[in-house]
């Protein structure tokens, strides 16, 4: 049953919770995009940070197609982002030994260092915002954000 169908069933509590979530998400996106230090830290914008993070998550090497699938992006978009990271020396392209046209992206030592320094600053920013939250509140919020983000994968 869709949200629209459930709203038509007359559940005002559900409608209010969806309205609250929608508004708070809009406010959150606005605040994140205006928070200059969060948009770009050092040499990494959000897209570069996420790409390096995912390559590191895959033990330092990941295929372009796999990354495109994970981010639900075109291969050309990931390739363009990767080219910028390669130009800065944060990743290298490793040719596929079987398919000469394909390649994987491998994080360099410099890329790993940049990723870690950016991760530390981002953790500090988020930590400062949540300083008055309990461990349980932070864990619950993190779990719900993870579940919310997973819903995008299911819809895609």
């Amino acid at each position: 049953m869709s949200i629209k169908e459930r709203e038509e069933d007359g559940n005002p509590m559900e409608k209010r919770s969806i309205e609250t979530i929608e508004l708070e998400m809009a406010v959150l996106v606005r605040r994140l995009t205006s928070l200059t230090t969060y948009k770009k830290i050092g040499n990494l914008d959000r897209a570069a940070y996420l790409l390096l993070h995912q390559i590191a998550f895959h033990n330092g090497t990941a295929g372009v197609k796999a990354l495109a699938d994970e981010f639900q992006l075109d291969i050309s978009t990931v390739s363009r982002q990767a080219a910028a990271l390669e130009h800065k020396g944060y990743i290298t392209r490793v040719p596929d030994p079987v398919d000469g046209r394909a390649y994987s992206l491998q994080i360099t030592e410099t890329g790993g260092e940049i990723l870690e320094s950016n991760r530390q600053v981002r953790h500090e920013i988020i930590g400062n915002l949540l300083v008055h939250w309990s461990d349980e509140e932070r864990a619950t919020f993190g779990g719900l954000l993870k579940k919310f983000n997973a819903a995008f994968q299911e819809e895609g």
Side-chain angles (χ1 to χ4, degrees):
M1 182 181 280
S2 72
I3 292 294
K4 184 169 175 58
E5 290 168 330
R6 287 197 298 262
E7 286 178 358
E8 290 169 358
D9 282 348
N11 183 347
M13 187 175 247
E14 182 171 355
K15 185 176 181 183
R16 282 194 304 271
S17 65
I18 297 296
E19 287 173 350
T20 299
I21 293 167
E22 179 276 325
L23 177 60
E24 293 303 322
M25 290 297 298
V27 171
L28 176 63
V29 168
R30 172 65 184 233
R31 288 186 175 150
L32 283 176
T33 56
S34 67
L35 185 59
T36 305
T37 56
Y38 199 76
K39 285 196 314 189
K40 185 168 181 176
I41 300 169
N43 294 324
L44 295 181
D45 60 19
R46 183 184 66 240
Y49 176 79
L50 288 172
L51 190 58
L52 280 177
H53 183 277
Q54 281 308 103
I55 295 169
F57 177 78
H58 290 286
N59 297 319
T61 303
V64 175
K65 183 176 180 344
L67 291 167
D69 290 345
E70 287 175 24
F71 290 124
Q72 295 181 319
L73 295 171
D74 291 334
I75 291 174
S76 63
T77 301
V78 173
S79 293
R80 189 173 52 255
Q81 292 172 354
L85 293 175
E86 184 178 28
H87 179 74
K88 292 179 179 179
Y90 299 160
I91 62 171
T92 58
R93 293 176 192 235
V94 178
D96 185 311
V98 176
D99 182 355
R101 299 169 296 165
Y103 59 91
S104 293
L105 303 174
Q106 186 172 44
I107 196 165
T108 64
E109 185 176 332
T110 301
E113 291 167 0
I114 289 291
L115 174 63
E116 187 53 35
S117 68
N118 278 256
R119 187 184 344 236
Q120 288 174 6
V121 171
R122 287 168 182 263
H123 287 192
E124 184 178 331
I125 291 167
I126 298 299
N128 287 338
L129 290 170
L130 303 176
V131 70
H132 298 293
W133 292 35
S134 70
D135 287 340
E136 183 180 338
E137 288 171 322
R138 287 191 296 265
T140 299
F141 185 60
L144 290 173
L145 275 175
K146 187 174 185 173
K147 183 177 181 179
F148 184 76
N149 279 323
F152 284 95
Q153 293 284 49
E154 294 166 9
E155 288 295 314

